[in-house]
Amino acid sequence: MKNLKPILRSLGIGLAVIAVIIIYAFGFQVTKVNLDETRNPRRQQQLTRILRALAKPDLLTYEKEEVIVTQQFMVPCPDGGFTTPDVDRSGPYITIEPACADPRSMVTVKGFNFQPNSSGPIAFIPTSQVNLGVGDFEADANGEFTTEIRIPARPDSAVQTIRTITRTNVGAPKISKTAVDTWDKIVETVFLALLATTLGTLFAIPLSFIAAKNLMKDVKSPLISIALNLLLIPLGIFVGIQLSNYGSQIADLISRSVVGNIAGLVIAPAIAVPLVRWALPQAELTRPSPKTRILRTLGLIVSVLIGILGLQFLAKIVIQLGDFLAPKLGSFTFLGTFISDMGDILGMSIVVITAALAAGIFSSIGDRTGKLITSHVNKPAAKALSMLLSMLAGALLAVLVMQSLNWFYEFDNLAVTIYWPAVIGGAIGLVTSVRMAPKDDLPVGIVLYYIARTVFNALRSIEALVWVIVFVVWVGIGPFAGVLALSLHTIAALAKLYSEQVESILPGPMEAVTATGANRLQSIVYAVVPQIIPPYISFTMYRWDINVRMSTIIGFAGGGGIGFLLYQNINLLNYRGASLQMLAIALVVASMDYLSSRLREKAI
Amino acid sequence: MLKVQNLTKQYEGGVQALRDVSFEVPKGQFLAVIGLSGSGKSTLLRCINRLVEPTGGKIFWNDVDVTAASEEDMRFIRRKIGMVFQHFNLVARSSVLTNVLAGRLGYVNPFWSLINKFPKSDYDKAMHELGRVSIADKAQYRADELSGGQQQRVGIARAMMQDPEMILADEPVASLDPVLAHSIMAYLEQINQEEGVTVLCSLHFLDLVHRYADRVIALNEGRLVFDGLPQEIDDQKFKDIYGRDAERVG
Ligand SMILES: Nc1ncnc2c1ncn2[C@@H]1O[C@H](COP(=O)(O)OP(=O)(O)O)[C@@H](O)[C@H]1O
Ligand SMILES: [Mg+2]
């Protein structure tokens, strides 16, 4: 009995070893491990060729001089035999033995007085003058070679020719065409990655706060506020878009003349700035009365409207300025185009800004009203109101969701897109409000947190390579598609990394700033932001580095940048070109690494 | 005037940090809060300005029900209650001046403060408060370049920026050495006596309690076990507060 245990143990170990062997054997089979191929001389020769080409990046070229050496030859031997005519033996020359031969027979070609170590092709030139390659030669250190070639099946009564060509470098080395193209594309790549990183960072920073649990877990709202928000935010977006369209039309009318435009540009801020200063006094030493608050809010809304109008003027004048400058700037045309693009971007963002502002204003009104109702209205009334509002909100939400699904799947059936969702959404809202006490706070923050996390994870798991295909369809092949694809991936990846940094901040400063009476936004700016600046900088730099490397891949799918060139060269078997491009990528990545470590040192 | 009635706090893990605590603090008093670590001192102080949400009971501050206040109301309540922390809780990478100005966030318009714009009078006040704790010369230093004692003085200046009627000090000297402890306590005493600011201060050492406090309350496992004058704490009371095995030192 005593001896059984060690035996069982060795048995177990034995079984485990067998299992491991089986697992690896299966792995070998699945991945088609083929050692014969690795030893195959033909394959080894190809490998050598590629590796040697890769080791010689196509950076420099020389002016080439072609040296052509010919010798007469007859196939087959004529009746009287054939003797090669004498050639000039002061320069390079070749001899052929025998001087004439049958088709498909072997002859020996010898070369003399060639450039030491030079090499080149040997060709048979029939009377048709079509070049038939028959082999290669490599001269030794004395400039001589001996090689055997097979005569092609081209019998002819006329004299034919055998020819060698050598190319030799002359003069000083020059930057190759590949190097120039690579430089252009690597610059494009760096800027593509820069734009994608910038765009991604701009969006990722605010989103990362939503995806941070420590900031979101205390965000709570009563059901009435949530329902009002759900109802008012879509309305706010709609109103915002309408307003910015009206603004754009008004600005269009006025800015027909440059004078009107400039006047608008001056007058708008002249009204808006003092109004903002009045509506937002610097200090709130006493609590403002409800009347002042309403007046101030109105003043703020008016000044925001005027401000938006002012931005419209600005966008228009910037576009005009850029268009005016572009043709006059010569080789700096791109600056003019950039200015007018900036105006265009501003114009496009105004819609988004206005929609966001209006949604924000509406949402804060909804929030305030909801909290006011919850704390001032008696329980039954609050319950009734919360039932009504959440029913409406549920119905609206469901209809909006189905409307967007309809856009994808084109049901085009009112029952599916409006009636049923309204009924079901309303019912869900009603049930929620019936089961909830109206004055209880719901953890909206945590819900938003999970939604944000899920969206980021989904976005992140779709590679930029896939996104680029979508964007190439939208904006065409080229670096712009690459910028958009990489930006999207950057937003998701950075928002996640950033939010983890926000979650790992010291809670103490946040607590202290909150204790002073600061609101949520103020505590974030004063206690959170200073803590996350160093990691944000280093993650952004790291992301730029990743984007440079990724942009080599998205070039494969038409996303512009150096990847496009690399892909082409690999397909054309131009390994020396590909090698140069890989070298360029490595250099850029290495210098970015150096740069980012220097920046990090500065920022900490 | 602060009134705490039947205050109870149960943390989410189930820990009962405060059980039915009631007491009153008249304006201008220097009240010490003592008890073993884990007895609920920090929780009590944080319930008063709702950094920690109480699960039962009521708190009245100048006859306003703090426990029922909305988020909006809390801004106006909190800005009159300064807080000083054991680990100072300064924002390490910000300048001393910015840290002190942060004490004004409850007064300034959120919009302007987001772009770091404070009224001129606030800058003057910040320099004045730094002068009170004699580190005006360090205003432009980064907070983490200062020593512990200096950081706590910045913490006091930040609290004083709020023009507080009350200061909650959570073991303000527990991470400082004894010599520094007295200088920090002296500043709190000065604020209490000269400005009439009510001070609630949790403390570890009884000698500090005897030296600075007008009155003491003691917590044991979340219960209020003593409420009286510092000199009333005799050996028996000491054992009740700190447990049987406690030995009086110093
Ligand atoms: N955030 C928290 N979550 C759960 N339990 C906590 C939390 N903070 C403190 N506690 C617990 O509550 C009790 C009281 O803690 P605390 O108020 O910090 O005491 P003191 O400040 O007197 O040391 C302790 O048992 C502690 O473990
Ligand atoms: Mg504590």
Side-chain angles (χ1 to χ4, degrees), chain A residues 344-487:
Chain A
D344 212 6
I345 291 177
L346 184 61
M348 288 202 291
S349 0
I350 290 174
V351 184
V352 181
I353 295 172
T354 323
L357 267 178
I361 292 175
F362 276 54
S363 142
S364 87
I365 291 175
D367 218 46
R368 292 247 166 111
T369 322
K371 281 178 178 154
L372 219 68
I373 293 174
T374 322
S375 56
H376 286 73
V377 172
N378 63 13
K379 257 197 178 148
K383 184 93 187 174
L385 207 58
S386 105
M387 275 159 62
L388 178 70
L389 286 173
S390 28
M391 195 173 77
L392 286 176
L396 181 68
L397 190 65
V399 168
L400 285 180
V401 167
M402 283 315 287
Q403 287 291 341
S404 42
L405 284 182
N406 185 41
W407 186 80
F408 280 106
Y409 299 108
E410 303 173 86
F411 307 117
D412 291 333
N413 176 350
L414 287 185
V416 177
T417 56
I418 296 190
Y419 304 141
W420 277 115
V423 170
I424 296 171
I428 293 175
L430 195 64
V431 169
T432 321
S433 61
V434 167
R435 295 185 51 131
M436 283 279 311
K439 305 214 169 184
D440 273 0
D441 281 341
L442 283 173
V444 235
I446 283 297
V447 174
L448 283 177
Y449 162 82
Y450 279 114
I451 292 176
R453 281 266 145 155
T454 315
V455 171
F456 292 154
N457 284 336
L459 275 184
R460 218 157 37 87
S461 55
I462 301 172
E463 275 299 325
L465 191 58
V466 180
W467 285 121
V468 86
I469 295 168
V470 175
F471 284 113
V472 160
V473 173
W474 187 15
V475 299
I477 288 184
F480 185 44
V483 168
L484 294 178
L486 278 182
S487 304

Side-chain angles (χ1 to χ4, degrees), chain B:
Chain B
M1 179 77 164
L2 176 74
K3 263 187 245 169
V4 176
Q5 295 177 348
N6 311 103
L7 188 65
T8 304
K9 170 67 190 178
Q10 181 166 23
Y11 280 109
E12 261 159 45
V15 179
Q16 190 79 36
L18 293 174
R19 305 164 202 251
D20 204 15
V21 174
S22 302
F23 63 96
E24 286 184 16
V25 191
K27 181 158 173 45
Q29 193 169 58
F30 197 121
L31 175 78
V33 183
I34 59 172
L36 284 174
S37 67
S39 59
K41 304 182 294 295
S42 301
T43 307
L44 172 63
L45 294 181
R46 281 169 174 70
C47 279
I48 292 171
N49 61 2
R50 295 242 323 255
L51 287 180
V52 165
E53 208 59 48
T55 43
K58 286 200 180 304
I59 297 166
F60 291 94
W61 160 245
N62 295 338
D63 297 322
V64 177
D65 186 352
V66 177
T67 41
S70 68
E71 213 170 304
E72 177 81 25
D73 298 330
M74 274 322 291
R75 177 177 171 84
F76 292 91
I77 296 171
R78 278 182 183 148
R79 72 183 198 180
K80 279 290 178 189
I81 304 177
M83 193 154 189
V84 178
F85 301 84
Q86 174 179 358
H87 299 293
F88 327 130
N89 289 1
L90 302 183
V91 182
R93 299 186 66 257
S94 295
S95 70
V96 167
L97 184 64
T98 307
N99 269 289
V100 176
L101 281 171
R104 212 60 198 162
L105 287 173
Y107 289 90
V108 296
N109 190 296
F111 177 78
W112 297 114
S113 66
L114 293 191
I115 52 176
N116 212 340
K117 208 165 142 57
F118 288 86
K120 169 93 176 53
S121 55
D122 286 351
Y123 284 95
D124 297 342
K125 186 168 169 57
M127 290 317 289
H128 172 76
E129 295 302 342
L130 282 172
R132 185 205 298 271
V133 288
S134 24
I135 39 168
D137 54 324
K138 296 278 195 286
Q140 298 304 333
Y141 281 52
R142 254 173 67 157
D144 56 3
E145 290 170 341
L146 268 53
S147 69
Q150 289 171 328
Q151 289 197 27
Q152 193 58 299
R153 287 193 265 164
V154 176
I156 291 175
R158 173 173 64 192
M160 287 310 289
M161 276 305 274
Q162 298 175 234
D163 282 329
E165 287 173 29
M166 175 164 72
I167 285 187
L168 307 172
D170 187 11
E171 303 198 22
V173 296
S175 29
L176 301 175
D177 45 54
V179 187
L180 285 173
H182 275 290
S183 84
I184 295 296
M185 290 306 293
Y187 284 121
L188 287 177
E189 183 179 44
Q190 182 196 349
I191 289 162
N192 172 250
Q193 285 173 0
E194 289 175 10
E195 315 272 329
V197 177
T198 314
V199 176
L200 261 71
C201 181
S202 64
L203 285 171
H204 243 84
F205 290 107
L206 270 181
D207 60 334
L208 289 177
V209 175
H210 283 292
R211 165 83 180 70
Y212 295 100
D214 299 331
R215 184 180 142 210
V216 192
I217 58 173
L219 293 175
N220 188 329
E221 293 188 353
R223 278 196 195 81
L224 191 74
V225 292
F226 176 83
D227 183 346
L229 299 175
Q231 47 280 24
E232 288 171 11
I233 301 180
D234 53 26
D235 284 354
Q236 184 51 47
K237 293 224 166 65
F238 182 84
K239 283 214 156 67
D240 289 344
I241 297 168
Y242 287 104
R244 304 250 156 264
D245 306 329
E247 210 40 73
R248 234 177 140 145
V249 287

Side-chain angles (χ1 to χ4, degrees), chain A residues 222-232 386 389-394:
Chain A
L223 188 60
I224 295 184
S225 290
I226 297 172
L228 277 172
N229 261 313
L230 284 177
L231 289 171
L232 287 178
S386 105
L389 286 173
S390 28
M391 195 173 77
L392 286 176

